[in-house]
Amino acid sequence: MTVYVRTFQNQEAELLQALVQARSVPVELVQRAQMVLASAAGHKPGQIAEQVGLSVGRVRVWIERFNASGLLGLFDLPRSGRPR
């Protein structure tokens, strides 16, 4: 089943573009924003995975997290255990 990003709300598209262009943002966050924007442009997860160099499963996970939680879904969740 192909997963696509939901319709953007408010200023999500502009904020995603700003994340992609920002210089002080972690590269993982930039990749996640690129995945969401590519999905919104109509690209399938397999095509997006080739563009960003990740597996199709990881692309689907990030698109689904964005669909569920919006921009906050692109950030890492807290992990258990001792901090680094």
Side-chain angles (χ1 to χ4, degrees):
M1 181 171 114
T2 303
V3 177
Y4 288 104
V5 72
R6 63 170 168 73
T7 305
F8 293 139
Q9 300 171 356
N10 299 330
Q11 298 175 329
E12 286 178 334
E14 292 86 12
L15 292 171
L16 287 167
Q17 286 291 344
L19 282 175
V20 169
Q21 296 172 356
R23 299 224 185 258
S24 61
V25 176
V27 69
E28 296 87 5
L29 191 57
V30 172
Q31 279 185 331
R32 295 167 192 167
Q34 288 173 336
M35 287 186 258
V36 171
L37 289 170
S39 179
H43 297 281
K44 294 183 180 181
Q47 296 169 326
I48 298 168
E50 288 179 16
Q51 291 173 358
V52 296
L54 296 174
S55 70
V56 176
R58 293 299 326 151
V59 172
R60 286 186 178 132
V61 165
W62 289 111
I63 291 171
E64 289 169 357
R65 281 189 52 183
F66 176 82
N67 287 342
S69 302
L71 289 171
L72 293 178
L74 299 181
F75 290 89
D76 288 326
L77 296 174
R79 298 176 184 227
S80 64
R82 188 178 133 214
R84 291 183 182 180

